[in-house]
Amino acid sequence: MPSNDNEHNNNSDNNKRCHEETPLLSTVGEEKVEEESRNSSSPNNNHNATIAALSFAMLVHSYLLVGVFPYSGFLAMHLVPSLNEETVGMYAGLIASSFMMGRTVTSFIWGKAADRYGRLFTIQASMLLSAIFSVLFGLAPTLPLALAARFALGLSNGIIGSVKTIITELSHGDRSRETNTMAIVMGMWGYGFLINPALGGYLADPVKQYPDSPLVELLDSIFSLRAKNPFLLPNVLGSIFCIVAYFLVRAFVEETLPEQKLEPFQWNRSLLLFPSFCKKILPCGAAMMRTVSSWGLFKHLQFTKEELSADPEDNTNNNGSFPRWVSPSRSTTALTILSPQFLEEVKSGTDSQKISSSIPAKEQQQSATIRSLWQRPSTRKHLIVYWAYSFVVIAVDETFPLYCISKVSGLGVEEKIIGNLLSATGAFYIFIQFFLVTGLVKRYGFYRAMKIGAL
């Protein structure tokens, strides 16, 4: 009997403990479910925040380019008083095109910087430098200084290439996700043509456009908008956009360049981005690889002594000039990077013939360089078509404001009206892009749709 009582008491104690523990277990389970749900939703939230930050960066890039179009002619007449509405064309064209001239000079250099210092470095550096040169452009007292500031604004702009690269690398090979993300982010270019010309036109020469505004009078007393800097406000807005984009990218966009490739930025080593200068001035004996990266055309590889001396038995083919994971290709201008799988095969006794057979024959014969890309007929045709299309688009965007300015053969309208007209064309562009072009591509295919658009 005592044993039965003890058993009964033990059972009752166990039941009590079970009843006491059950709510705790259920609570823990609920917390786990909530935590899992939060974790499952956080990648989407991070991805959406990343898309938003990159989209705003593209909007800023568009503003820096097209925001000047509505008032470029008026700015030229302000800087060169002898000009009028009929003779300002060449000078306005120089102001508008100097930005793209600067981008042409440094586009490859920004690509190399992105492969060395990271994609985020190029975007953030571009934003900070653009913020500075945008204000300097608005404060320029002469035409040469305005052209220099606008040219420097283009030199400091490496936004679009790094944005495209981040989108591709964040997609991790998911073609559908990459396409959708690229459409959203790069679509901001079209929205930029809708919004940015209006902003530039409304803020240009505010004393003339809004003579009775108390806010304009206050700003005029601070920045001398009437006499010295009538076109400062649109550029100050561009500078503010750049700073906001800098912090958005810093907060919500992750670096996609692998850590083993990422190098800290140093001013003395940044000269390595200029190989010809470095070769003449500095003792740069590091190996250089010319090939096509994700969006830049050249990469430089810096090897430590440990890398060069590691595993010397595998360095017999290159005389110790390169680490064992770099194999010189048959082209004298490029190298082939061997994957870890190939290295494991080498360690397990696989001969070099089997490894070389794993590399496509075309890549063995010629690695991708600028010359090899241009020698491919399909690539060359696509580049020519793209250049021709870009020429037509930029030419129309720059000459249409001149037609609006002219009082003899044009419309004779002011900056605000020009901005409204350009924004209307941007709205029409968005409508055509989302409705007509999409339908044409689905019905006739991509290349036929391009031919129809060319007509």
Side-chain angles (χ1 to χ4, degrees):
M1 292 299 290
S3 61
N4 292 334
D5 293 337
N6 292 335
E7 291 178 0
H8 177 73
N9 293 332
N10 292 334
N11 292 334
S12 62
D13 293 339
N14 291 334
N15 292 333
K16 288 180 180 180
R17 284 195 296 270
C18 290
H19 288 299
E20 291 175 356
E21 292 174 359
T22 300
L24 297 176
L25 292 175
S26 62
T27 303
V28 173
E30 292 176 359
E31 292 178 354
K32 288 183 178 180
V33 171
E34 293 178 358
E35 184 178 358
E36 289 177 358
S37 63
R38 288 194 300 266
N39 293 336
S40 62
S41 61
S42 59
N44 292 329
N45 295 333
N46 293 337
H47 184 66
N48 293 335
T50 300
I51 292 178
L54 295 177
S55 298
F56 188 76
M58 281 304 303
L59 185 65
V60 173
H61 172 72
S62 175
Y63 182 85
L64 295 175
L65 174 62
V66 306
V68 73
F69 289 169
Y71 64 87
S72 59
F74 297 95
L75 175 60
M77 288 188 290
H78 168 72
L79 298 176
V80 185
S82 60
L83 299 176
N84 56 41
E85 291 82 357
E86 314 306 323
T87 60
V88 74
M90 182 182 70
Y91 299 92
L94 287 175
I95 292 174
S97 61
S98 56
F99 178 88
M100 296 304 296
M101 293 178 185
R103 282 199 60 202
T104 302
V105 173
T106 58
S107 59
F108 296 155
I109 297 175
W110 280 116
K112 292 186 287 184
D115 290 334
R116 180 183 293 272
Y117 306 117
R119 296 30 168 135
L120 294 185
F121 170 83
T122 58
I123 297 178
Q124 293 173 0
S126 297
M127 291 300 177
L128 292 180
L129 292 174
S130 297
I132 297 173
F133 289 120
S134 181
V135 174
L136 293 179
F137 174 67
L139 294 173
T142 61
L143 181 63
L145 289 179
L147 293 177
R150 183 77 176 164
F151 181 76
L153 191 61
L155 287 176
S156 60
N157 191 292
I159 300 171
I160 187 170
S162 292
V163 169
K164 289 182 177 180
T165 304
I166 287 177
I167 293 173
T168 300
E169 293 175 342
L170 285 177
S171 300
H172 301 292
D174 188 342
R175 297 286 297 276
S176 176
R177 185 178 186 181
E178 179 182 352
T179 301
N180 294 334
T181 306
M182 193 75 71
I184 294 173
V185 175
M186 302 310 296
M188 293 304 295
W189 182 263
Y191 288 106
F193 275 85
L194 173 64
I195 301 171
N196 295 328
L199 293 176
Y202 274 89
L203 294 177
D205 203 353
V207 176
K208 181 180 69 174
Q209 298 194 80
Y210 317 104
D212 300 328
S213 174
L215 178 61
V216 171
E217 293 180 0
L218 176 62
L219 294 175
D220 183 26
S221 63
I222 299 175
F223 300 109
S224 300
L225 298 180
R226 184 189 304 272
K228 295 182 179 180
N229 308 308
F231 302 97
L232 176 61
L233 288 186
N235 294 282
V236 170
L237 179 63
S239 179
I240 295 174
F241 280 171
C242 290
I243 295 173
V244 173
Y246 170 85
F247 285 105
L248 288 176
V249 171
R250 183 184 180 91
F252 299 109
V253 181
E254 298 180 358
E255 179 59 65
T256 57
L257 186 67
E259 291 185 2
Q260 60 269 24
K261 296 182 179 180
L262 195 62
E263 299 181 13
F265 178 77
Q266 299 176 3
W267 286 105
N268 57 344
R269 294 179 62 85
S270 64
L271 294 176
L272 296 176
L273 297 174
F274 305 87
S276 58
F277 172 81
C278 179
K279 193 172 183 180
K280 294 179 181 179
I281 306 298
L282 301 176
C284 303
M288 182 179 74
M289 181 182 72
R290 293 202 309 166
T291 183
V292 177
S293 64
S294 53
W295 70 285
L297 294 183
F298 298 101
K299 283 184 178 178
H300 296 270
L301 297 179
Q302 300 290 334
F303 305 132
T304 63
K305 294 182 179 180
E306 290 76 10
E307 289 176 326
L308 293 174
S309 60
D311 203 352
E313 294 180 359
D314 292 334
N315 286 332
T316 54
N317 294 330
N318 51 33
N319 297 323
S321 301
F322 303 102
R324 59 187 181 86
W325 47 271
V326 180
S327 173
S329 68
R330 297 183 180 181
S331 172
T332 58
T333 60
L335 302 171
T336 301
I337 306 301
L338 300 183
S339 66
Q341 181 181 1
F342 288 162
L343 296 176
E344 293 297 329
E345 292 178 353
V346 171
K347 291 181 180 180
S348 61
T350 306
D351 56 1
S352 60
Q353 184 176 1
K354 180 179 178 181
I355 295 177
S356 61
S357 64
S358 302
I359 304 176
K362 293 182 179 180
E363 294 185 8
Q364 294 185 34
Q365 294 176 359
Q366 184 178 19
S367 298
T369 60
I370 296 178
R371 178 176 297 181
S372 65
L373 287 176
W374 186 251
Q375 290 175 350
R376 299 175 184 175
S378 60
T379 303
R380 184 170 62 250
K381 292 177 182 178
H382 283 80
L383 288 175
I384 292 175
V385 170
Y386 182 76
W387 288 340
Y389 168 77
S390 299
F391 173 80
V392 172
V393 171
I394 298 298
V396 172
D397 289 335
E398 293 187 8
T399 56
F400 179 72
L402 299 178
Y403 168 75
C404 295
I405 292 174
S406 177
K407 296 181 179 179
V408 176
S409 58
L411 302 179
V413 295
E414 303 296 333
E415 298 95 324
K416 182 166 61 176
I417 305 300
I418 297 175
N420 290 336
L421 292 174
L422 290 176
S423 295
T425 60
F428 182 73
Y429 164 81
I430 294 174
F431 175 81
I432 294 296
Q433 186 73 23
F434 279 94
F435 294 99
L436 181 59
V437 174
T438 303
L440 289 175
V441 172
K442 288 182 179 179
R443 183 168 184 177
Y444 298 106
F446 180 74
Y447 287 100
R448 290 185 180 180
M450 288 182 61
K451 293 178 181 179
I452 295 174
L455 296 177

